[in-house]
Amino acid sequence: MELLRESRELFLDDSREFLPQLDKLVACGETRELEKGAYHLKGALANLGAIAAQSCAALLEKAARDGELSQAEEFVVLLRKESEPIVSEDTTTSS
């Protein structure tokens, strides 16, 4: 149980830093930073067993690596949607 809590905290730390920047990174064409951030989120989501969100992060990572910014925009939307339950849980439990 402790490992799961630590994994969740790692994801929340990464997501607080990275999720708000996604649109800006895509708009500015910052594919390197986008790929790096998606890679970190992918690992944190894998540790949580959040398969759908992990898949979105993996797709975002690949799109950024390949320079496919239009696809990256789509994966940003999906990643936010799939990771919302994890992020929302943090705000309800920390109150």
Side-chain angles (χ1 to χ4, degrees):
M1 200 60 156
E2 180 66 22
L3 181 59
L4 182 60
R5 186 184 65 75
E6 289 176 14
S7 295
R8 191 167 170 280
E9 287 178 19
L10 176 63
F11 167 75
L12 291 172
D13 288 345
D14 285 348
S15 68
R16 282 185 195 111
E17 178 182 337
F18 185 64
L19 285 176
Q21 299 177 27
L22 290 175
D23 296 318
K24 181 180 176 184
L25 292 172
V26 171
C28 293
E30 297 286 339
T31 56
R32 191 100 149 116
E33 288 300 311
L34 192 59
E35 180 183 358
K36 188 171 104 176
Y39 173 81
H40 288 289
L41 287 175
K42 179 181 72 173
L45 290 161
N47 290 336
L48 290 172
I51 305 303
Q54 177 195 2
S55 294
C56 292
L59 291 168
L60 177 58
E61 178 188 17
K62 183 179 182 331
R65 182 174 45 251
D66 295 345
E68 297 290 337
L69 293 176
S70 62
Q71 284 186 326
E73 284 182 280
E74 294 174 34
F75 299 136
V76 165
V77 171
L78 291 172
L79 177 57
R80 281 200 174 108
K81 178 183 175 205
E82 293 298 334
S83 60
E84 181 61 32
I86 301 165
V87 174
S88 294
E89 187 179 315
D90 179 56
T91 58
T92 58
T93 58
S94 64
S95 298

